[in-house]
Amino acid sequence: MQVQIMRIQMMNDPMQGAVYVAMGRVAGAALAKVASPVVVDDDELLLGPSRIDPKRHRAARVRYLGGEPSTDLNEELARSDGPPICVALPPTPGGLMSLCRICASVVERGRTVFVVDLSPETAGTFPQGPGPGMAISIYVADALLRKPPVVQWSKLETALAATLWKLWCRRSPVAFSRFCASGSMFHPQLANLGRYHAGLFPRRAGNGLLPSLFDELLLRQLSQEWLSPVKVYANALNAGSELAAWFPHTGDLYIAKRLNEWYRHSRGRIIERRDAHHPRPSEMTRWFFRWRAGSEELLDALPSVQAAPPVSIGGATAYDLDHVWVCRFDARGTPYLSRFDTASSGDRLE
């Protein structure tokens, strides 16, 4: 009966013929039980490059991921016109970023956006510290049974989300970072999104640099002992490390990816790698990593921006030698980004 009530509620007149969007395949299966048609967004936009132009964006994601994610959604967004789009939105920074991309397409094509907010009441908790807060786990099927309201987003809300997507895709990450750090009440996940974003860029320390918050937390898990990425993951979880709060946003495979990037970038001069000879190797078990003796001092001072492997995020690149963006903190302790050569004068949040 509850499922039937949900179906009737979601099929009111303004939503006739709507296309529903779920974030992830598990969510898609749950949503398909109460609505149709459902397309799935299975791309984690918080990692890798994004572009404003849809065709360039799809090409960039294919190059980064080795295949195209969210194919059905991409085709739906490419339609010149179409019915309303209804997004089942989880309480995550990645969900917000996906919604912003959808809104950018909708604005261009004059379509309408509805949002089913799957957040529990606790989802609006403001993050503490410089990094993103721990993600709130939800079961989409249970969230739908609570009969969350279907809300039509206003033209202003849709336009703001579309603008946020365009800022995300800029080569300069400064405007995006400032908007997230502004204290805007646009969306409860905005502060989390801003902390995640800023946490991937190197930090300003006096006249020098420190590694990004994420890189520091990751590299501090290493020692003189050989550790696999899966062991790094387990150790961080068991110790309640700040790094563990990043895993729901980056996924566990990013640990292996980033450690390999550090190894390849420095050719083993900072961290070393050897084959783990695992009987069933995966990205998380194929290699062991450890500090090269004496290299830990990098955590206290980054010798230069080119000492770290670059990171593509949106339209920007962290550790970009030609455009050095750095993370700073305002009087409230909120992280934000600026250019390294302007960070010392007149480049702070009001």
Side-chain angles (χ1 to χ4, degrees):
M1 176 62 70
Q2 286 178 307
V3 170
Q4 184 63 25
I5 290 173
M6 181 68 185
R7 184 184 297 275
I8 293 172
Q9 180 185 1
M10 297 180 75
M11 291 297 179
N12 51 35
D13 289 340
M15 301 244 334
Q16 283 295 332
V19 175
Y20 297 86
V21 180
M23 305 297 176
R25 298 195 176 279
V26 173
L31 185 59
K33 295 178 180 179
V34 298
S36 67
V38 174
V39 295
V40 172
D41 188 351
D42 56 0
D43 190 2
E44 184 45 81
L45 294 172
L46 297 185
L47 296 172
S50 294
R51 302 291 181 262
I52 294 176
D53 179 76
K55 290 183 179 179
R56 292 186 60 213
H57 176 75
R58 293 173 74 169
R61 300 307 291 174
V62 168
R63 288 193 298 270
Y64 179 74
L65 298 169
E68 183 178 357
S70 309
T71 304
D72 291 343
L73 174 61
N74 289 338
E75 292 177 357
E76 180 61 40
L77 295 180
R79 292 171 60 177
S80 58
D81 56 12
I85 292 181
C86 182
V87 180
L89 185 65
T92 63
L96 174 58
M97 203 71 260
S98 294
L99 175 60
C100 290
R101 180 172 87 98
I102 292 169
C103 286
S105 174
V106 163
V107 167
E108 292 291 328
R109 290 163 175 78
R111 299 171 72 174
T112 304
V113 172
F114 289 82
V115 174
V116 181
D117 190 349
L118 302 177
S119 305
E121 293 181 358
T122 56
T125 303
F126 197 81
Q128 302 296 316
M134 181 67 75
I136 298 171
S137 298
I138 63 166
Y139 294 97
V140 173
D142 293 343
L144 291 174
L145 287 176
R146 292 197 299 268
K147 297 180 287 183
V150 181
V151 177
Q152 180 175 349
W153 267 30
S154 69
K155 289 184 178 180
L156 177 59
E157 289 172 313
T158 306
L160 278 173
T163 298
L164 192 59
W165 172 250
K166 292 176 181 178
L167 295 180
W168 172 262
C169 294
R170 281 187 181 179
R171 186 174 187 180
S172 166
V174 171
F176 178 88
S177 180
R178 285 172 174 265
F179 184 78
C180 291
S182 67
S184 168
M185 299 302 292
F186 167 64
H187 191 276
Q189 286 298 322
L190 191 64
N192 252 346
L193 180 58
R195 280 164 163 75
Y196 171 90
H197 179 249
L200 293 180
F201 288 82
R203 291 165 293 169
R204 182 73 183 263
N207 293 322
L209 293 173
L210 292 172
S212 72
L213 177 60
F214 177 83
D215 279 340
E216 178 183 336
L217 294 173
L218 175 62
L219 294 175
R220 284 197 184 280
Q221 295 293 316
L222 298 182
S223 67
Q224 295 301 316
E225 299 180 3
W226 291 106
L227 296 173
S228 66
V230 72
K231 186 64 174 176
V232 170
Y233 177 80
N235 287 348
L237 286 179
N238 293 336
S241 164
E242 290 179 56
L243 180 62
W246 287 77
F247 296 156
H249 311 303
T250 64
D252 56 352
L253 294 181
Y254 189 63
I255 299 171
K257 177 178 173 60
R258 192 61 183 152
L259 289 174
N260 274 301
E261 287 173 346
W262 273 98
Y263 166 75
R264 296 188 186 105
H265 183 76
S266 66
R267 299 179 182 178
R269 292 191 299 271
I270 295 176
I271 64 172
E272 300 176 316
R273 185 184 78 176
R274 71 173 175 85
D275 196 322
H277 300 292
H278 195 279
R280 294 183 179 179
S282 68
E283 293 300 314
M284 296 291 283
T285 61
R286 181 172 285 114
W287 305 106
F288 285 136
F289 298 89
R290 71 177 181 184
W291 282 108
R292 180 176 288 277
S295 296
E296 298 95 323
E297 62 187 21
L298 175 140
L299 295 174
D300 299 319
L302 198 64
S304 63
V305 70
Q306 61 261 45
V311 178
S312 292
I313 175 169
T317 301
Y319 302 106
D320 184 346
L321 181 59
D322 296 325
H323 300 85
V324 184
W325 315 109
V326 294
C327 176
R328 302 188 76 205
F329 298 88
D330 68 11
R332 301 164 295 172
T334 303
Y336 68 97
L337 301 178
S338 65
R339 277 289 291 268
F340 183 69
D341 54 2
T342 60
S344 61
S345 59
D347 192 37
R348 57 173 64 98
L349 291 171
E350 298 298 333

